[in-house]
Coordinates of all heavy atoms in Angstrom, one line a residue:
F248 N -135.2 -56.2 -130.5 CA -134.8 -54.8 -130.7 C -135.1 -53.9 -129.6 O -134.2 -53.1 -129.1 CB -135.5 -54.5 -132.0 CG -135.2 -53.0 -132.5 CD1 -134.1 -52.8 -133.3 CD2 -136.0 -52.0 -132.2 CE1 -133.7 -51.6 -133.8 CE2 -135.7 -50.7 -132.7 CZ -134.6 -50.5 -133.5
T249 N -136.4 -53.9 -129.2 CA -136.8 -53.0 -128.2 C -136.2 -53.3 -126.8 O -135.7 -52.4 -126.1 CB -138.4 -53.0 -128.0 OG1 -138.9 -52.6 -129.3 CG2 -138.9 -52.0 -127.0
L250 N -136.1 -54.5 -126.4 CA -135.5 -55.0 -125.2 C -134.1 -54.6 -125.1 O -133.5 -54.2 -124.1 CB -135.7 -56.4 -124.9 CG -137.1 -56.9 -124.6 CD1 -137.3 -58.5 -124.5 CD2 -137.6 -56.2 -123.4
G251 N -133.3 -54.8 -126.2 CA -131.9 -54.5 -126.3 C -131.7 -53.0 -126.1 O -130.8 -52.6 -125.4
A252 N -132.5 -52.2 -126.8 CA -132.4 -50.7 -126.6 C -132.7 -50.3 -125.2 O -132.0 -49.5 -124.6 CB -133.4 -50.1 -127.6
T253 N -133.8 -50.9 -124.6 CA -134.2 -50.5 -123.3 C -133.1 -50.9 -122.3 O -132.7 -50.0 -121.4 CB -135.4 -51.1 -122.9 OG1 -136.5 -50.9 -123.8 CG2 -135.9 -50.8 -121.5
A254 N -132.5 -52.1 -122.3 CA -131.5 -52.5 -121.5 C -130.2 -51.7 -121.5 O -129.7 -51.2 -120.5 CB -131.1 -54.0 -121.7
K255 N -129.9 -51.3 -122.7 CA -128.6 -50.5 -122.9 C -128.9 -49.1 -122.5 O -128.0 -48.5 -121.9 CB -128.2 -50.5 -124.4 CG -126.9 -49.9 -124.6 CD -125.7 -50.7 -123.8 CE -124.4 -50.2 -124.2 NZ -123.3 -50.9 -123.5
G256 N -130.2 -48.5 -122.6 CA -130.5 -47.2 -122.1 C -130.4 -47.0 -120.6 O -129.8 -46.1 -120.2
I257 N -130.9 -48.1 -120.0 CA -130.9 -48.1 -118.6 C -129.4 -48.3 -118.1 O -128.9 -47.5 -117.1 CB -131.7 -49.3 -118.0 CG1 -133.2 -49.0 -118.2 CG2 -131.4 -49.4 -116.4 CD1 -134.0 -50.3 -117.8
A258 N -128.7 -49.1 -118.7 CA -127.2 -49.3 -118.2 C -126.4 -47.9 -118.6 O -125.6 -47.6 -117.7 CB -126.5 -50.4 -119.1
T259 N -126.6 -47.2 -119.6 CA -126.0 -46.0 -119.9 C -126.4 -44.9 -118.9 O -125.5 -44.3 -118.4 CB -126.4 -45.5 -121.4 OG1 -126.0 -46.5 -122.2 CG2 -125.7 -44.2 -121.6
I260 N -127.6 -44.8 -118.5 CA -128.0 -43.9 -117.6 C -127.4 -44.1 -116.2 O -127.0 -43.1 -115.5 CB -129.6 -43.8 -117.5 CG1 -130.2 -43.3 -118.7 CG2 -130.0 -43.0 -116.3 CD1 -131.8 -43.4 -118.9
L261 N -127.3 -45.3 -115.8 CA -126.7 -45.6 -114.5 C -125.3 -45.5 -114.4 O -124.6 -45.1 -113.4 CB -127.0 -47.1 -114.1 CG -128.6 -47.4 -113.9 CD1 -128.8 -48.9 -113.6 CD2 -129.0 -46.6 -112.8
T262 N -124.5 -45.7 -115.5 CA -123.1 -45.6 -115.6 C -122.6 -44.3 -116.0 O -121.3 -44.1 -115.9 CB -122.5 -46.8 -116.3 OG1 -123.0 -46.7 -117.7 CG2 -122.7 -48.2 -115.7
Y263 N -123.3 -43.5 -116.6 CA -122.8 -42.3 -117.3 C -122.0 -41.4 -116.3 O -121.0 -40.9 -116.7 CB -123.9 -41.5 -118.0 CG -123.4 -40.4 -118.8 CD1 -122.8 -40.6 -120.1 CD2 -123.3 -39.1 -118.4 CE1 -122.2 -39.7 -120.8 CE2 -122.7 -38.1 -119.1 CZ -122.1 -38.4 -120.3 OH -121.7 -37.4 -121.1
P264 N -122.5 -41.1 -115.1 CA -121.7 -40.3 -114.3 C -120.3 -40.8 -114.0 O -119.4 -40.0 -113.8 CB -122.5 -40.2 -113.0 CG -123.9 -40.5 -113.4 CD -123.8 -41.5 -114.5
L265 N -120.1 -42.1 -113.9 CA -118.8 -42.7 -113.7 C -117.9 -42.4 -115.1 O -116.7 -42.2 -115.0 CB -118.9 -44.1 -113.4 CG -119.4 -44.5 -112.1 CD1 -119.7 -46.0 -112.0 CD2 -118.6 -44.0 -111.0
Q266 N -118.5 -42.6 -116.2 CA -117.8 -42.3 -117.4 C -117.4 -40.8 -117.5 O -116.3 -40.5 -118.0 CB -118.7 -42.6 -118.7 CG -118.8 -44.1 -118.8 CD -119.8 -44.5 -120.0 OE1 -120.2 -43.7 -120.6 NE2 -120.0 -45.8 -120.2
L267 N -118.3 -40.0 -117.1 CA -118.0 -38.5 -117.1 C -116.9 -38.2 -116.1 O -115.9 -37.4 -116.4 CB -119.3 -37.8 -116.6 CG -119.1 -36.2 -116.6 CD1 -118.8 -35.6 -117.9 CD2 -120.4 -35.6 -116.0
A268 N -116.9 -38.9 -114.9 CA -115.8 -38.6 -113.9 C -114.5 -39.1 -114.5 O -113.4 -38.4 -114.3 CB -116.1 -39.4 -112.7
Q269 N -114.4 -40.2 -115.2 CA -113.2 -40.7 -115.8 C -112.7 -39.7 -116.8 O -111.4 -39.4 -116.9 CB -113.4 -42.0 -116.5 CG -113.6 -43.2 -115.7 CD -113.9 -44.4 -116.4 OE1 -114.3 -44.4 -117.6 NE2 -113.7 -45.6 -115.8
T270 N -113.6 -39.1 -117.6 CA -113.2 -38.2 -118.6 C -112.6 -36.9 -117.9 O -111.6 -36.4 -118.3 CB -114.3 -37.7 -119.5 OG1 -114.9 -38.9 -120.1 CG2 -114.0 -36.6 -120.5
V271 N -113.3 -36.4 -116.9 CA -112.9 -35.2 -116.1 C -111.5 -35.5 -115.5 O -110.6 -34.7 -115.4 CB -113.9 -34.8 -115.1 CG1 -113.4 -33.8 -114.2 CG2 -115.2 -34.3 -115.8
L272 N -111.3 -36.7 -114.9 CA -110.0 -37.1 -114.3 C -108.9 -37.1 -115.3 O -107.7 -36.7 -115.0 CB -110.1 -38.3 -113.5 CG -110.9 -38.3 -112.2 CD1 -111.2 -39.8 -111.7 CD2 -110.3 -37.5 -111.2
R273 N -109.2 -37.6 -116.5 CA -108.1 -37.5 -117.5 C -107.8 -36.2 -117.9 O -106.6 -35.8 -118.2 CB -108.6 -38.3 -118.8 CG -108.6 -39.8 -118.6 CD -108.9 -40.5 -119.9 NE -109.3 -41.9 -119.6 CZ -110.5 -42.4 -119.9 NH1 -111.4 -41.6 -120.5 NH2 -110.8 -43.6 -119.5
L274 N -108.7 -35.3 -118.0 CA -108.5 -33.9 -118.3 C -107.9 -33.1 -117.1 O -107.4 -32.0 -117.3 CB -109.9 -33.1 -118.7 CG -110.4 -33.7 -120.0 CD1 -111.8 -33.0 -120.3 CD2 -109.6 -33.4 -121.2
D275 N -108.1 -33.6 -116.0 CA -107.5 -33.0 -114.7 C -106.0 -32.7 -114.9 O -105.6 -31.7 -114.4 CB -107.8 -34.0 -113.6 CG -107.2 -33.5 -112.3 OD1 -107.3 -32.2 -112.0 OD2 -106.8 -34.3 -111.4
K276 N -105.3 -33.6 -115.5 CA -103.8 -33.4 -115.6 C -103.5 -32.1 -116.4 O -102.5 -31.5 -116.2 CB -103.1 -34.6 -116.2 CG -103.3 -35.8 -115.3 CD -102.9 -37.1 -116.0 CE -103.2 -38.2 -115.1 NZ -103.0 -39.5 -115.7
S277 N -104.3 -31.8 -117.4 CA -104.1 -30.8 -118.4 C -104.7 -29.4 -117.8 O -104.2 -28.3 -118.2 CB -104.5 -31.0 -119.7 OG -106.0 -31.1 -119.7
T278 N -105.7 -29.5 -117.0 CA -106.3 -28.2 -116.5 C -105.8 -27.9 -115.0 O -106.1 -26.8 -114.6 CB -107.7 -28.4 -116.4 OG1 -108.2 -29.4 -115.5 CG2 -108.4 -28.6 -117.8
H279 N -105.0 -28.7 -114.4 CA -104.5 -28.5 -113.1 C -105.5 -28.3 -112.1 O -105.4 -27.7 -111.0 CB -103.5 -27.2 -113.1 CG -102.5 -27.4 -114.2 ND1 -101.4 -28.2 -114.1 CD2 -102.3 -26.7 -115.3 CE1 -100.7 -28.2 -115.1 NE2 -101.1 -27.2 -115.9
T280 N -106.7 -29.0 -112.2 CA -107.7 -29.1 -111.2 C -107.3 -30.3 -110.4 O -106.9 -31.2 -110.8 CB -109.1 -29.3 -111.9 OG1 -109.3 -28.2 -112.8 CG2 -110.2 -29.1 -110.9
S281 N -107.7 -30.2 -109.1 CA -107.3 -31.2 -108.2 C -108.5 -32.1 -107.7 O -109.5 -31.5 -107.1 CB -106.6 -30.6 -107.0 OG -106.3 -31.7 -106.0
Y282 N -108.4 -33.3 -108.0 CA -109.4 -34.3 -107.5 C -108.7 -35.4 -106.8 O -107.6 -35.8 -107.2 CB -110.3 -34.9 -108.7 CG -111.0 -33.9 -109.4 CD1 -110.7 -33.4 -110.7 CD2 -112.2 -33.3 -108.9 CE1 -111.4 -32.5 -111.4 CE2 -113.0 -32.3 -109.5 CZ -112.6 -32.0 -110.8 OH -113.3 -31.1 -111.5
D283 N -109.3 -36.0 -105.8 CA -108.7 -37.1 -105.1 C -109.1 -38.5 -105.5 O -109.0 -39.5 -104.8 CB -108.9 -37.0 -103.6 CG -108.2 -35.7 -103.0 OD1 -107.1 -35.4 -103.5 OD2 -108.6 -35.2 -102.0
G284 N -109.7 -38.6 -106.7 CA -110.2 -39.8 -107.1 C -111.6 -39.6 -107.8 O -112.2 -38.5 -107.9
T285 N -112.2 -40.7 -108.1 CA -113.4 -40.7 -108.8 C -114.6 -40.2 -108.0 O -115.4 -39.4 -108.3 CB -113.9 -42.2 -109.2 OG1 -112.9 -42.7 -110.1 CG2 -115.2 -42.2 -110.0
L286 N -114.7 -40.7 -106.7 CA -115.8 -40.2 -105.8 C -115.6 -38.8 -105.5 O -116.7 -38.0 -105.5 CB -115.7 -41.0 -104.5 CG -116.8 -40.7 -103.5 CD1 -118.2 -41.0 -104.1 CD2 -116.7 -41.6 -102.2
D287 N -114.4 -38.2 -105.3 CA -114.3 -36.8 -105.0 C -114.7 -36.0 -106.2 O -115.3 -34.9 -106.1 CB -112.8 -36.5 -104.6 CG -112.5 -35.0 -104.4 OD1 -113.2 -34.5 -103.5 OD2 -111.5 -34.5 -105.0
C288 N -114.3 -36.4 -107.4 CA -114.6 -35.8 -108.7 C -116.2 -35.8 -108.8 O -116.7 -34.6 -109.1 CB -114.1 -36.6 -109.9 SG -114.4 -35.9 -111.5
L289 N -116.9 -36.9 -108.6 CA -118.4 -36.8 -108.6 C -119.0 -35.9 -107.6 O -119.9 -35.1 -107.9 CB -119.0 -38.3 -108.4 CG -118.6 -39.3 -109.5 CD1 -118.9 -40.7 -109.0 CD2 -119.4 -38.9 -110.8
I290 N -118.4 -35.8 -106.3 CA -118.9 -35.0 -105.4 C -118.7 -33.5 -105.8 O -119.6 -32.7 -105.6 CB -118.3 -35.3 -104.0 CG1 -118.7 -36.6 -103.5 CG2 -118.5 -34.2 -103.0 CD1 -118.0 -37.2 -102.3
Q291 N -117.6 -33.2 -106.2 CA -117.2 -31.7 -106.7 C -118.2 -31.4 -107.9 O -118.6 -30.3 -107.9 CB -115.9 -31.6 -107.0 CG -114.9 -31.6 -105.7 CD -113.5 -31.1 -106.1 OE1 -113.3 -30.2 -106.9 NE2 -112.6 -31.8 -105.4
L292 N -118.3 -32.3 -108.8 CA -119.3 -32.0 -110.0 C -120.6 -31.7 -109.4 O -121.3 -30.7 -110.0 CB -119.3 -33.1 -110.9 CG -118.0 -33.3 -111.9 CD1 -118.1 -34.6 -112.6 CD2 -117.9 -32.1 -112.8
Y293 N -121.1 -32.5 -108.5 CA -122.5 -32.4 -107.9 C -122.6 -31.1 -107.2 O -123.6 -30.3 -107.4 CB -122.8 -33.4 -107.0 CG -124.1 -33.4 -106.4 CD1 -125.3 -33.6 -107.1 CD2 -124.3 -33.0 -105.1 CE1 -126.6 -33.5 -106.6 CE2 -125.5 -32.9 -104.5 CZ -126.6 -33.1 -105.3 OH -127.9 -33.0 -104.7
R294 N -121.6 -30.7 -106.4 CA -121.6 -29.4 -105.6 C -121.6 -28.2 -106.5 O -122.2 -27.2 -106.3 CB -120.5 -29.4 -104.6 CG -120.7 -30.2 -103.5 CD -119.5 -30.1 -102.5 NE -119.7 -31.1 -101.3 CZ -118.7 -31.5 -100.6 NH1 -117.4 -31.1 -100.8 NH2 -119.0 -32.4 -99.6
N295 N -120.8 -28.3 -107.5 CA -120.6 -27.1 -108.5 C -121.8 -27.0 -109.5 O -122.1 -25.9 -109.8 CB -119.3 -27.3 -109.2 CG -118.1 -27.0 -108.3 OD1 -118.2 -26.5 -107.3 ND2 -117.0 -27.6 -108.8
G296 N -122.4 -28.1 -109.9 CA -123.4 -28.0 -110.9 C -124.7 -28.7 -110.6 O -125.6 -28.7 -111.4
G297 N -124.9 -29.3 -109.4 CA -126.1 -30.0 -109.2 C -126.1 -31.4 -109.8 O -125.2 -31.7 -110.6
L298 N -127.2 -32.0 -109.8 CA -127.5 -33.3 -110.4 C -127.3 -33.3 -111.9 O -126.8 -34.2 -112.5 CB -128.8 -33.9 -109.9 CG -129.1 -35.3 -110.3 CD1 -128.1 -36.3 -109.6 CD2 -130.5 -35.7 -109.9
R299 N -127.8 -32.3 -112.4 CA -127.7 -32.0 -114.0 C -126.3 -32.2 -114.4 O -126.0 -32.7 -115.5 CB -128.4 -30.7 -114.3 CG -128.4 -30.6 -115.8 CD -129.2 -29.4 -116.1 NE -130.5 -29.9 -116.4 CZ -131.5 -29.1 -116.9 NH1 -131.2 -27.8 -117.2 NH2 -132.6 -29.7 -117.3
S300 N -125.3 -31.7 -113.6 CA -123.9 -31.7 -114.2 C -123.4 -33.1 -114.3 O -122.4 -33.3 -115.0 CB -123.0 -30.8 -113.2 OG -122.9 -31.5 -111.9
L301 N -123.9 -34.0 -113.5 CA -123.5 -35.4 -113.7 C -124.0 -36.1 -115.0 O -123.4 -37.2 -115.3 CB -124.0 -36.2 -112.4 CG -123.4 -35.8 -111.1 CD1 -124.1 -36.7 -110.0 CD2 -121.9 -36.0 -111.0
F302 N -124.9 -35.5 -115.7 CA -125.4 -36.1 -116.9 C -125.2 -35.2 -118.1 O -125.8 -35.3 -119.1 CB -126.9 -36.4 -116.7 CG -127.1 -37.4 -115.6 CD1 -127.4 -37.1 -114.3 CD2 -127.0 -38.7 -115.9 CE1 -127.7 -38.0 -113.4 CE2 -127.2 -39.8 -115.0 CZ -127.5 -39.3 -113.6
T303 N -124.2 -34.3 -117.9 CA -124.0 -33.4 -119.1 C -123.4 -34.2 -120.3 O -122.5 -35.0 -120.1 CB -122.8 -32.4 -118.7 OG1 -123.3 -31.6 -117.5 CG2 -122.4 -31.4 -119.8
G304 N -124.0 -33.9 -121.4 CA -123.5 -34.6 -122.6 C -124.1 -36.1 -122.8 O -123.7 -36.8 -123.7
M305 N -125.0 -36.4 -121.9 CA -125.5 -37.8 -121.9 C -126.4 -38.1 -123.2 O -126.5 -39.2 -123.7 CB -126.3 -38.2 -120.7 CG -126.6 -39.7 -120.7 SD -127.5 -40.1 -119.2 CE -129.1 -39.4 -119.5
R306 N -127.1 -37.0 -123.7 CA -128.1 -37.4 -124.9 C -127.3 -37.9 -126.1 O -127.8 -38.9 -126.5 CB -128.7 -36.0 -125.3 CG -129.8 -35.6 -124.4 CD -130.4 -34.3 -124.9 NE -131.3 -33.8 -123.9 CZ -131.7 -32.6 -123.9 NH1 -131.4 -31.8 -125.0 NH2 -132.5 -32.1 -123.0
A307 N -126.2 -37.4 -126.4 CA -125.5 -38.0 -127.5 C -125.0 -39.4 -127.2 O -125.1 -40.3 -128.1 CB -124.3 -37.2 -127.9
K308 N -124.4 -39.7 -126.1 CA -124.0 -41.0 -125.7 C -125.2 -42.0 -125.7 O -125.0 -43.1 -126.1 CB -123.3 -40.9 -124.3 CG -122.8 -42.3 -123.9 CD -121.6 -42.7 -124.8 CE -120.8 -43.8 -124.3 NZ -119.9 -44.4 -125.1
L309 N -126.2 -41.5 -125.1 CA -127.5 -42.4 -125.0 C -128.0 -42.7 -126.4 O -128.3 -43.9 -126.6 CB -128.5 -41.6 -124.3 CG -129.7 -42.6 -123.8 CD1 -129.3 -43.5 -122.8 CD2 -130.7 -41.6 -123.0
L310 N -128.0 -41.8 -127.3 CA -128.4 -42.1 -128.7 C -127.5 -43.2 -129.4 O -128.0 -44.1 -130.0 CB -128.5 -40.9 -129.4 CG -129.0 -40.9 -131.0 CD1 -130.4 -41.4 -130.9 CD2 -128.9 -39.5 -131.6
Q311 N -126.2 -43.0 -129.2 CA -125.3 -43.8 -129.8 C -125.3 -45.2 -129.2 O -125.4 -46.1 -130.0 CB -123.8 -43.2 -129.5 CG -122.7 -44.2 -130.0 CD -121.4 -43.9 -129.3 OE1 -121.3 -43.1 -128.4 NE2 -120.4 -44.7 -129.7
T312 N -125.4 -45.3 -127.9 CA -125.4 -46.7 -127.3 C -126.6 -47.5 -127.5 O -126.7 -48.6 -127.7 CB -125.0 -46.6 -125.8 OG1 -125.9 -45.8 -125.1 CG2 -123.5 -46.1 -125.7
V313 N -127.7 -46.7 -127.4 CA -129.1 -47.4 -127.6 C -129.3 -47.9 -129.0 O -129.6 -49.0 -129.2 CB -130.2 -46.4 -127.1 CG1 -131.5 -47.0 -127.6 CG2 -130.2 -46.2 -125.6
L314 N -128.9 -47.1 -130.0 CA -129.0 -47.5 -131.4 C -128.1 -48.6 -131.7 O -128.6 -49.6 -132.3 CB -128.8 -46.4 -132.3 CG -129.9 -45.3 -132.4 CD1 -129.6 -44.2 -133.3 CD2 -131.3 -45.9 -132.9
T315 N -127.0 -48.6 -131.1 CA -125.9 -49.6 -131.4 C -126.4 -51.0 -130.9 O -126.4 -52.0 -131.5 CB -124.6 -49.3 -130.9 OG1 -124.1 -48.1 -131.4 CG2 -123.5 -50.4 -131.0
A316 N -126.9 -50.9 -129.6 CA -127.4 -52.1 -129.0 C -128.6 -52.7 -129.6 O -128.7 -53.9 -129.8 CB -127.7 -51.8 -127.5
A317 N -129.5 -51.8 -130.0 CA -130.7 -52.2 -130.6 C -130.5 -52.9 -131.9 O -131.0 -54.0 -132.2 CB -131.6 -51.0 -130.9
F318 N -129.6 -52.3 -132.8 CA -129.3 -53.0 -134.1 C -128.4 -54.2 -133.8 O -128.5 -55.2 -134.7 CB -128.6 -51.9 -135.0 CG -129.6 -51.0 -135.6 CD1 -129.6 -49.7 -135.2 CD2 -130.6 -51.4 -136.5 CE1 -130.5 -48.8 -135.8 CE2 -131.6 -50.6 -137.0 CZ -131.5 -49.2 -136.7
T319 N -127.6 -54.3 -132.8 CA -126.8 -55.5 -132.6 C -127.8 -56.6 -132.2 O -127.7 -57.8 -132.8 CB -125.8 -55.2 -131.4 OG1 -125.0 -54.3 -131.8 CG2 -125.1 -56.6 -131.1
F320 N -128.8 -56.5 -131.4 CA -129.8 -57.4 -131.1 C -130.6 -57.8 -132.2 O -131.0 -58.9 -132.4 CB -130.7 -57.0 -129.9 CG -129.9 -57.1 -128.5 CD1 -129.4 -56.2 -127.8 CD2 -129.8 -58.4 -128.0 CE1 -128.8 -56.3 -126.7 CE2 -129.2 -58.7 -126.8 CZ -128.7 -57.5 -126.1
L321 N -131.0 -56.8 -133.0 CA -131.8 -57.1 -134.2 C -131.1 -57.9 -135.2 O -131.6 -59.0 -135.7 CB -132.2 -55.8 -134.9 CG -133.0 -55.9 -136.2 CD1 -134.4 -56.5 -135.9 CD2 -133.1 -54.5 -136.8
T322 N -129.8 -57.8 -135.4 CA -129.0 -58.4 -136.4 C -128.8 -59.8 -135.8 O -128.9 -60.9 -136.5 CB -127.6 -57.9 -136.4 OG1 -127.8 -56.5 -137.0 CG2 -126.7 -58.7 -137.4
Y323 N -128.5 -60.0 -134.5 CA -128.4 -61.3 -133.8 C -129.8 -62.2 -134.0 O -129.7 -63.3 -134.4 CB -128.2 -61.2 -132.4 CG -128.2 -62.4 -131.6 CD1 -127.1 -63.4 -131.6 CD2 -129.3 -62.8 -130.8 CE1 -127.2 -64.5 -131.0 CE2 -129.3 -63.9 -130.1 CZ -128.2 -64.8 -130.2 OH -128.3 -66.0 -129.5
E324 N -130.9 -61.5 -133.8 CA -132.2 -62.2 -133.9 C -132.4 -62.7 -135.4 O -132.8 -63.7 -135.6 CB -133.2 -61.4 -133.5 CG -133.3 -61.2 -131.9 CD -134.3 -60.0 -131.5 OE1 -134.9 -59.5 -132.4 OE2 -134.4 -59.8 -130.3
Q325 N -132.0 -61.8 -136.3 CA -132.2 -62.3 -137.7 C -131.3 -63.3 -138.1 O -131.7 -64.3 -138.9 CB -132.0 -60.9 -138.7 CG -132.9 -59.8 -138.4 CD -134.3 -60.3 -138.8 OE1 -134.6 -60.9 -139.7 NE2 -135.2 -59.8 -137.9
I326 N -130.0 -63.3 -137.7 CA -129.1 -64.5 -138.0 C -129.5 -65.7 -137.3 O -129.5 -66.8 -138.0 CB -127.7 -64.0 -137.5 CG1 -127.1 -62.9 -138.4 CG2 -126.8 -65.3 -137.5 CD1 -125.8 -62.4 -138.0
L327 N -130.1 -65.7 -136.1 CA -130.6 -66.8 -135.4 C -131.7 -67.4 -136.2 O -131.8 -68.6 -136.3 CB -131.0 -66.3 -134.1 CG -131.1 -67.5 -132.9 CD1 -129.7 -68.2 -132.8 CD2 -131.5 -66.9 -131.6
T328 N -132.7 -66.6 -136.8 CA -133.8 -67.1 -137.5 C -133.3 -67.8 -138.7 O -133.8 -68.9 -139.1 CB -134.7 -65.9 -138.0 OG1 -135.2 -65.2 -136.7 CG2 -135.9 -66.2 -138.6
V329 N -132.4 -67.2 -139.5 CA -131.9 -67.8 -140.7 C -131.2 -69.1 -140.3 O -131.5 -70.2 -141.0 CB -130.9 -66.8 -141.4 CG1 -130.1 -67.6 -142.5 CG2 -131.6 -65.7 -141.8
V330 N -130.4 -69.2 -139.3 CA -129.7 -70.4 -138.9 C -130.8 -71.5 -138.5 O -130.6 -72.7 -138.9 CB -128.7 -70.2 -137.7 CG1 -128.2 -71.6 -137.1 CG2 -127.6 -69.3 -138.2
H331 N -131.8 -71.1 -137.8 CA -132.8 -72.1 -137.3 C -133.5 -72.8 -138.6 O -133.8 -73.9 -138.7 CB -133.8 -71.5 -136.4 CG -133.3 -71.4 -135.0 ND1 -133.5 -72.5 -134.1 CD2 -132.7 -70.5 -134.3 CE1 -132.9 -72.2 -133.0 NE2 -132.5 -70.9 -133.0
K332 N -133.8 -71.9 -139.5 CA -134.5 -72.3 -140.8 C -133.6 -73.2 -141.6 O -134.1 -74.3 -142.1 CB -135.0 -71.1 -141.7 CG -136.2 -70.3 -141.1 CD -136.5 -69.2 -142.0 CE -137.7 -68.4 -141.4 NZ -138.0 -67.3 -142.3
A333 N -132.3 -72.9 -141.6 CA -131.4 -73.7 -142.4 C -131.2 -75.0 -141.6 O -131.2 -76.2 -142.3 CB -130.0 -73.0 -142.4
M334 N -131.2 -75.1 -140.4 CA -131.1 -76.3 -139.7 C -132.4 -77.2 -139.8 O -132.3 -78.5 -140.0 CB -130.8 -76.1 -138.1 CG -129.4 -75.5 -138.0 SD -129.1 -75.2 -136.3 CE -128.9 -76.8 -135.6
Q335 N -133.5 -76.6 -139.8 CA -134.8 -77.3 -140.0 C -134.8 -77.9 -141.4 O -135.3 -79.1 -141.7 CB -136.0 -76.4 -139.8 CG -136.3 -76.1 -138.4 CD -137.4 -75.2 -138.2 OE1 -137.8 -74.5 -139.1 NE2 -137.9 -75.1 -137.0
N336 N -134.5 -77.1 -142.4 CA -134.4 -77.6 -143.9 C -133.4 -78.8 -144.0 O -133.7 -79.8 -144.7 CB -134.1 -76.5 -144.8 CG -135.2 -75.5 -144.9 OD1 -136.2 -75.8 -144.6 ND2 -134.8 -74.3 -145.4
R337 N -132.3 -78.7 -143.3 CA -131.3 -79.8 -143.4 C -131.8 -81.0 -142.7 O -131.6 -82.2 -143.1 CB -130.0 -79.3 -142.7 CG -128.9 -80.2 -142.8 CD -127.6 -79.7 -142.4 NE -126.5 -80.5 -142.8 CZ -125.3 -80.3 -142.3 NH1 -125.0 -79.3 -141.5 NH2 -124.4 -81.2 -142.7
A338 N -132.6 -80.8 -141.5 CA -133.1 -82.0 -140.9 C -134.2 -82.7 -141.7 O -134.3 -83.9 -141.5 CB -133.7 -81.6 -139.5
L339 N -135.0 -82.0 -142.4 CA -136.0 -82.5 -143.3 C -135.5 -83.2 -144.5 O -136.2 -84.0 -145.0 CB -137.0 -81.4 -143.7 CG -137.8 -80.7 -142.7 CD1 -138.6 -79.6 -143.1 CD2 -138.7 -81.7 -141.9
S340 N -134.2 -82.9 -144.9 CA -133.7 -83.5 -146.1 C -133.2 -84.9 -145.9 O -132.8 -85.4 -145.0 CB -132.5 -82.8 -146.6 OG -132.8 -81.4 -146.8

């Protein structure tokens, strides 16, 4: 549970600026702002708002992804425990 949440939290923090850039680039077409690609978008976001602007809105995404990953791993571990017990009972019969 904890390891799954930690791993997903780290992955989200590392990849969030790229996800934000993708969103901004999609909106770029409707707002008529000009970016030359992902890297240019990230550079302009950083220049206009600093490092903090690259992580705008991350709290909600972090909460969502960490909880989802944690419960996925918890469910997997619980199912694995049940399967192992069932296999042991079957082997003893």
Side-chain angles (χ1 to χ4, degrees):
F248 181 82
T249 304
L250 290 176
T253 303
K255 192 60 173 180
I257 292 169
T259 300
I260 291 168
L261 293 176
T262 60
Y263 189 78
L265 293 172
Q266 292 176 356
L267 179 64
Q269 287 178 341
T270 302
V271 170
L272 288 170
R273 284 189 200 115
L274 294 173
D275 176 37
K276 295 173 185 168
S277 64
T278 61
H279 306 293
T280 309
S281 175
Y282 297 107
D283 292 329
T285 304
L286 185 59
D287 181 52
C288 180
L289 289 170
I290 290 169
Q291 286 190 41
L292 285 171
Y293 179 75
R294 284 184 183 158
N295 293 333
L298 189 61
R299 182 171 262 195
S300 68
L301 295 177
F302 296 96
T303 301
M305 188 179 72
R306 285 183 189 162
K308 183 66 174 173
L309 194 58
L310 182 64
Q311 173 201 6
T312 57
V313 166
L314 287 176
T315 300
F318 285 112
T319 299
F320 279 104
L321 178 66
T322 303
Y323 172 77
E324 290 170 0
Q325 295 298 319
I326 290 172
L327 202 59
T328 301
V329 169
V330 169
H331 280 276
K332 285 181 182 178
M334 290 177 70
Q335 285 177 347
N336 289 340
R337 188 172 186 188
L339 294 175
S340 311

